[in-house]
Amino acid sequence: MINAETAGIIVILIGLYGLISKENPIKQVLSINVISLGLILFFTGTGYVEGGDFPIMPSNPVDPLPATLMLTTLVVDVAITALALAMILQNGGEWA
């Protein structure tokens, strides 16, 4: 079965292909979002521990830091996407 790290790498490669092959700036912004989601999936998967407990339990804890950082990354990604799309729409569909 595929794990989260491998799935994240596959999603990153799909986004990279879209970024290289598409000329439409809106599609390029969406490809950058796909790359970002692949990174989030990859780093969230690194924090997974098989049979892990809450971080306050002393035995076999799960590290909460990757999930916390990726939640912050999602918020920043939404803001950057909104800014990029606004700049594209303001310039009539062309990159600034």
Side-chain angles (χ1 to χ4, degrees):
M1 183 153 177
I2 191 167
N3 58 4
E5 290 91 356
T6 307
I9 291 172
I10 291 170
V11 172
I12 290 170
L13 292 175
I14 291 170
L16 190 61
Y17 172 75
L19 186 63
I20 292 171
S21 66
K22 304 298 179 188
E23 293 183 10
N24 187 352
I26 294 177
K27 290 181 181 178
Q28 288 179 340
V29 169
L30 292 177
S31 296
I32 291 171
N33 278 343
V34 170
I35 291 171
S36 175
L37 290 175
L39 284 170
I40 290 169
L41 180 61
F42 177 80
F43 283 116
T44 305
T46 60
Y48 176 73
V49 175
E50 185 78 29
D53 291 330
F54 296 111
I56 56 174
M57 300 291 185
S59 65
N60 198 15
V62 174
D63 187 17
L65 188 62
T68 305
L69 292 175
M70 293 307 110
L71 183 61
T72 306
T73 303
L74 281 173
V75 172
V76 171
D77 191 36
V78 168
I80 291 173
T81 302
L83 179 65
L85 291 176
M87 289 173 61
I88 290 170
L89 290 176
Q90 185 178 15
N91 292 327
E94 297 294 326
W95 281 109

